[in-house]
Amino acid sequence: MFMIISFSLFMLLFMVVGLLASRRNGDAHDYLLAGQSVKPWLVALSAVATNNSGYMFIGVVGYTYIFGLSALWIPAGIILGDFLMSLFIHKKLRMMTEHQSALSFPEVLSKWGGTNYKFLRRIAGIITVLFLGAYAAAQLNAGSKALHVLFGWDYRAGALLGALIVLIYCSFGGIRASIWTDAVQSFIMIAAMGVLFFAAVSRVGGFGQYWGQLHQVSAEYMSLRPHDHIISGFWGSFLFILGYIFVGLGVIGQPQIMVRFMAMKQPADMKRVRLYYYAWFIFFSVLTIGTALGARLLIPEGSMFDAELALPLLSKSLLPQVLVGLVLAGLFASTMSTADSQILSCSASLTRDIKESWSHSALFAKFSTAIVSLIALGIALGQFESVFSLVILAWSVLAAAFGPLLLVYSLGQKVSEKTAIAMLMSGLVVVLAWKWANLDQIIVEIAPGAAAGLLVFGISRLFPQKA
């Protein structure tokens, strides 16, 4: 009972914060970009909460439980790739967004440098809606999985609850509500992981016992060398790490994350945003890996055990019900903070890029948010088993389609509309083909997809066209 009450209070908090944000909501510019008035710390917490979705609470925890300390390379590679791109892209994106009066990610790509590529804008909008819509559905399903484990609820209950909460505060408050709730959710996420980590270490008998027992799991468990790769030895480890660096590089192709930087108050704030963002990201990643290692010591491995459920099961065995509610709220918040951002990015693309006659109306933007929420919920309720695999696939497609073009733009290069479309489509096709051929076992599909886009640009330099 106390667990449900605790969880419910946190869900109520998210709705209240989101509805308070709606009091400052006005036109489409305010609904989709918060009037470009978001403070640095809010941008940072919102972006990092959106980036760290259920994959940290479920995916990384499960991977660490099985493979041990080498899982550190996953967040390390992502953070490194993300950081490298942030040094010279995010600030330019914010400046170009204001200069071109753009309100969506595809719109700023189509208008970069004074161009007006309408066909590119529509294609980019369609790609955004298709793949982010599926991504949002997967987040709703991830939350359902946790509620089913802890409360015994029907799998559909979590998806319905998450969609309803997101729909309420996003429909009224737009991106500002999403950012405000993301900030609250980020604090709950890190508090939940911190409580669980220290409870696990305490139960084992202190940090000394914790560290010593981990070295007894297996000979390789506490080795930093990645050993989950089809190729053994140095090259397998190299490709493993390189793959996750490419995942981090691919952050620049994620509309739901990059729109946070587009909403930043002023370009000069980027240094402070970067400081807050990476400090939170690193701290949360270390806590996540540490908690997952503790789960390996406290929850026996069995043939029927689903490692991705280690965190909710650990919280249920270690904590009082009130704190279990906190952990579940943190896990659920991680999925909601991503789903709301994806739904709003889809809404922006639908109204600004695909159906431009709706572009200046906040009312139509809110209507689109409701439509996209219902579509995502419908996919989630269908319980397609492939929807979770679409998380990685959607990230890869968006990264390979949009990332190379944004990178080329940020380096001061001009691109014709035909070349820009070819870059988008080549990245998309190569990612899908690479995945279909199961070559992602060698290196994540983002790498060849992004390389294909850059190759198209290189070839276009040999046969120049008018931009």
Side-chain angles (χ1 to χ4, degrees):
M1 176 62 71
F2 288 112
M3 180 169 55
I4 295 177
I5 293 173
S6 174
F7 174 74
S8 299
L9 288 175
F10 284 115
M11 294 302 104
L12 180 61
L13 175 63
F14 298 152
M15 282 199 296
V16 169
V17 170
L19 291 174
L20 286 175
S22 69
R23 297 172 61 188
R24 300 179 59 180
N25 188 244
D27 58 11
H29 180 249
D30 197 78
Y31 185 81
L32 297 176
L33 283 185
Q36 292 182 305
S37 63
V38 183
K39 296 178 180 179
W41 70 274
L42 281 171
V43 173
L45 292 182
S46 177
V48 79
T50 300
N51 197 347
N52 288 277
S53 60
Y55 101 93
M56 284 292 276
F57 274 87
I58 295 176
V60 173
V61 167
Y63 185 91
T64 306
Y65 181 94
I66 296 171
F67 294 104
L69 194 60
S70 63
L72 270 174
W73 288 112
I74 297 176
I78 293 172
I79 290 170
L80 176 58
D82 190 358
F83 175 74
L84 291 174
M85 291 295 97
S86 76
L87 292 176
F88 57 95
I89 287 182
H90 297 56
K91 183 177 179 180
K92 293 178 182 178
L93 176 66
R94 169 60 179 82
M95 293 169 65
M96 193 59 66
T97 299
E98 182 175 6
H99 185 65
Q100 300 299 334
S101 299
L103 299 187
S104 73
F105 189 66
E107 184 177 2
V108 73
L109 291 180
S110 68
K111 291 183 175 180
W112 196 286
T115 59
N116 188 16
Y117 295 154
K118 293 186 177 181
F119 194 36
L120 169 67
R121 184 172 168 183
R122 287 194 177 91
I123 291 176
I126 291 170
I127 291 173
T128 298
V129 171
L130 286 177
F131 287 94
L132 275 189
Y135 200 156
Q139 295 302 314
L140 295 176
N141 247 341
S144 290
K145 193 173 185 179
L147 291 181
H148 174 74
V149 171
L150 288 178
F151 296 154
W153 291 357
D154 186 278
Y155 268 109
R156 294 168 292 186
L160 284 165
L161 178 62
L164 178 62
I165 294 173
V166 167
L167 176 60
I168 290 173
Y169 68 71
C170 283
S171 294
F172 285 96
I175 193 70
R176 180 177 282 109
S178 176
I179 289 172
W180 283 22
T181 52
D182 283 354
V184 175
Q185 288 162 357
S186 68
F187 284 115
I188 292 175
M189 287 163 62
I190 206 163
M193 196 66 78
V195 165
L196 200 49
F197 171 70
F198 288 108
V201 171
S202 177
R203 176 63 64 88
V204 171
F207 192 78
Q209 286 290 325
Y210 164 87
W211 194 252
Q213 290 182 36
L214 285 171
H215 282 82
Q216 298 173 16
V217 173
S218 71
E220 291 187 325
Y221 196 70
M222 292 302 285
S223 170
L224 278 171
R225 182 181 62 83
H227 46 274
D228 176 31
H229 199 276
I230 193 172
I231 300 174
S232 60
F234 169 80
W235 287 110
S237 298
F238 174 76
L239 290 173
F240 179 90
I241 297 168
L242 182 63
Y244 281 102
I245 291 175
F246 267 98
V247 172
L249 295 173
V251 170
I252 63 171
Q254 309 303 316
Q256 76 277 15
I257 298 174
M258 299 309 290
V259 72
R260 267 74 187 143
F261 303 105
M262 293 166 61
M264 188 166 51
K265 189 172 184 179
Q266 55 188 6
D269 289 337
M270 191 57 219
K271 287 184 179 180
R272 292 171 61 195
V273 170
R274 192 180 294 121
L275 175 63
Y276 302 145
Y277 177 88
Y278 291 108
W280 194 100
F281 204 155
I282 292 170
F283 186 48
F284 182 70
S285 298
V286 171
L287 282 177
T288 301
I289 300 294
T291 301
L293 293 174
R296 179 58 183 262
L297 298 177
L298 295 168
I299 301 177
E301 186 179 21
S303 59
M304 300 299 292
F305 174 65
D306 184 352
E308 291 193 338
L309 301 178
L311 190 142
L313 289 174
L314 182 65
S315 66
K316 198 171 183 179
S317 66
L318 286 183
L319 303 175
Q321 287 196 358
V322 172
L323 292 181
V324 173
L326 169 67
V327 172
L328 183 57
L331 196 160
F332 207 69
S334 72
T335 63
M336 287 175 54
S337 65
T338 302
D340 62 12
S341 308
Q342 292 162 339
I343 288 170
L344 282 168
S345 290
C346 289
S347 175
S349 286
L350 190 61
T351 56
R352 296 289 301 182
D353 309 315
I354 299 174
K355 188 68 176 177
E356 292 184 57
S357 60
W358 295 357
S359 61
H360 298 291
S361 172
L363 178 62
F364 278 122
K366 294 178 180 181
F367 176 73
S368 297
T369 300
I371 294 298
V372 173
S373 298
L374 292 174
I375 292 173
L377 176 60
I379 297 172
L381 293 179
Q383 296 187 43
F384 300 112
E385 291 193 6
S386 62
V387 78
F388 283 103
S389 66
L390 281 177
V391 171
I392 296 175
L393 185 62
W395 180 284
S396 299
V397 166
L398 294 166
F402 299 145
L405 182 59
L406 182 55
L407 176 61
V408 166
Y409 278 153
S410 297
L411 293 175
Q413 300 296 310
K414 290 189 175 182
V415 180
S416 70
E417 184 170 25
K418 289 182 180 178
T419 298
I421 293 172
M423 290 176 69
L424 259 67
M425 297 309 298
S426 63
L428 186 153
V429 170
V430 169
V431 164
L432 296 178
W434 195 268
K435 185 72 174 178
W436 177 79
N438 291 322
L439 294 174
D440 55 312
Q441 297 180 40
I442 299 174
I443 190 168
V444 67
E445 55 268 28
I446 294 176
L454 293 174
L455 179 61
V456 167
F457 171 74
I459 294 173
S460 75
R461 297 297 91 179
L462 300 176
F463 306 96
Q465 304 174 26
K466 291 184 179 179

